[in-house]
Amino acid sequence: TDIPTSVSDASALILSAATKIDFKPAPNFNGAPPPLTARLIDSSTDVAITGTTKGADLLSGAQAIAGVDVSGAHNGGTTAVSAAAVPLNTAVAAVNDAPIASGSVSLPPVSSAEQHPPGDTVANLFKPTYNDGTDQQKTSLNPTGSVPDTFAGIVIVGNPVPAADGVWKYSTDGGTTWAAVPTTVSDTNGLVLGPNAKLSFFPSPGHRGAVPPMQVRLIDGSTDVPLSEAVTGASLVGTSRAIQGVDVSAARHGGITAVSAALVPLDTSVIPAEAPVMSGVPWGHFGNDRIYGPGGRPPGYLLGTTVYRSLVTDQVGIINVSADAFYGSAADQHLTYEARMASGASLPPWLTFDANTLNFRGTPPESASGTLDIKVIATTPDGLKATTEVHVFIMRQPSDLLSLLRATRANNAPIRPPAPPRPPAGQKPPAKPPAAPPVVKPTADATPGHRAPPGDVAMLSQANAATPGREGFGLSAQLRDQTTAGRLARARALLDALADAAD
């Protein structure tokens, strides 16, 4: 019989010493449930607990009395009920729950002329279909509950592709070498691949159209259930291992195993390498009763591109990836976007991605360097996917240009033209050229056309001094702190300094 959760001091449940108590966990629960709270009863005969029932009466066997008031003066003192309460705790040991697989996966269409199709990693393909929420039992009320396991890989259990269509292949070295996925795989003879292994389809010459999908089960990164002999899901995490002949049949998938009960299909299609395209006609019949689109591709395709962007360390930057980076007949559909590193890892913590605007925003730390290789994955409502590669160059803001100019001249001294050569003996030196007209030093409200004296870059230092605490910041940051007039004055002085320093 369930103990009501509404019990209290004013409405307690009395259980005699011979009554049994047990905890029945809900399905998949593990950890420590909140404790029961109980007061103790003695076997006295001179004080009633409820009605005419005394503590001694509870010794006669298993009994339960609901709705008893033991609050206030009904406990402690000269009663039969203890003043202090005793908690009753228990714990439920965790067992692994198999991951939940859902949806389907598609590789981008492969050209019939493609000899080395790049494919994609197991993690990029199947991680979106993975869920281990059943193992999420840890809460604020249950701090010892289990947490989900990470995605650890797949086991291929079906490959019905005939040789006339082509071959599904896998690579454990990033695509340098490829091996065929056996057509004999099954639940009793599965091919296990780690998340960093790659999968691709190599079409047979002349094949066109859809490719029969492979059937795949997902593997979680648990440590307490073996996958194959001493191999657990945890030993696959972050690897590109391949293990053949793994039995995941019957009780070896679903339940408390590391392998999903449901299957995820992986399909693709082969498109013609070339096809005639009629100018001015977006779609039409162009022979063999096949319908081709721009570029000779069939309807319903989506492709990505490659874009290059840059960010500057210690400056807030926004990178826009236009929706035009994805093209094809499916690009007009409502696409959803996600972004991650090319390796499959999450974006660095200082960089965020807005899937609605296709914008990245972040401030690279001073320690950042090199190039961030990111991929943005677009998905159609039908599950068709395409990837655009985004290569972000991390640049450093140069020091204030004044300090760079100082490296060319000591103390901002004007550049003096070289002395003219001495004339041969007996000849007069050439006449001196006429003196240059005087020039006007610019001020904050100087009019265009005025020129600063050669070498006069002191205004840059004065502008720095006018903004205390900004002397060590880059020129862009300093300019943002100026008024319009100050920016004009600084720009003129900068141009004068550059012209004067030029050879």
Side-chain angles (χ1 to χ4, degrees), residues 417-494:
R422 292 180 178 274
Q427 291 188 16
K428 293 183 179 181
K432 292 183 178 180
V439 294
V440 180
K441 184 175 182 179
T443 62
D445 56 353
T447 56
H450 289 173
R451 180 82 160 83
D456 186 5
V457 293
M459 288 187 65
L460 288 176
S461 296
Q462 295 168 4
N464 277 351
T467 313
R470 301 295 289 178
E471 297 83 359
F473 283 72
L475 182 69
S476 300
Q478 295 175 21
L479 285 176
R480 284 196 294 267
D481 290 343
Q482 303 298 316
T483 63
T484 301
R487 282 194 292 271
L488 286 171
R490 176 170 294 199
R492 287 174 181 146
L494 173 62

Side-chain angles (χ1 to χ4, degrees), residues 98-192:
I100 300 170
S102 61
S104 60
V105 177
S106 296
L107 268 176
V110 182
S111 168
S112 59
E114 180 66 71
Q115 297 182 354
H116 302 286
D120 208 345
T121 64
V122 167
N124 290 346
L125 291 170
F126 291 97
K127 200 171 181 179
T129 68
Y130 173 86
N131 184 293
D132 196 35
T134 306
D135 279 330
Q136 176 55 57
Q137 297 295 327
K138 184 176 181 178
T139 65
S140 58
L141 295 178
N142 182 27
T144 61
S146 62
V147 295
D149 293 306
T150 188
F151 174 73
I154 62 171
V155 53
I156 303 174
V157 296
N159 180 16
V161 177
D165 290 1
V167 181
W168 282 106
K169 294 187 177 183
Y170 67 94
S171 173
T172 59
D173 55 11
T176 302
T177 58
W178 294 87
V181 176
T183 56
T184 56
V185 290
S186 64
D187 269 337
T188 58
N189 183 35
L191 171 63
V192 170

Side-chain angles (χ1 to χ4, degrees), residues 220-238:
D220 67 28
S222 56
T223 60
D224 53 343
V225 283
L227 182 64
S228 173
E229 297 179 351
V231 177
T232 63
S235 61
L236 295 175
V237 174

Side-chain angles (χ1 to χ4, degrees), residues 239-301:
T239 75
S240 56
R241 293 179 64 180
I243 309 173
Q244 297 195 32
V246 178
D247 185 357
V248 292
S249 62
R252 293 180 174 88
H253 67 254
I256 60 173
T257 71
V259 182
S260 68
L263 296 168
V264 177
L266 170 63
D267 59 30
T268 189
S269 60
V270 181
I271 56 179
E274 296 181 358
V277 180
M278 186 176 296
S279 176
V281 180
W283 301 106
H285 292 269
F286 302 119
N288 299 326
D289 291 328
R290 292 181 179 273
I291 300 179
Y292 300 124
R297 299 186 184 276
Y301 75 95

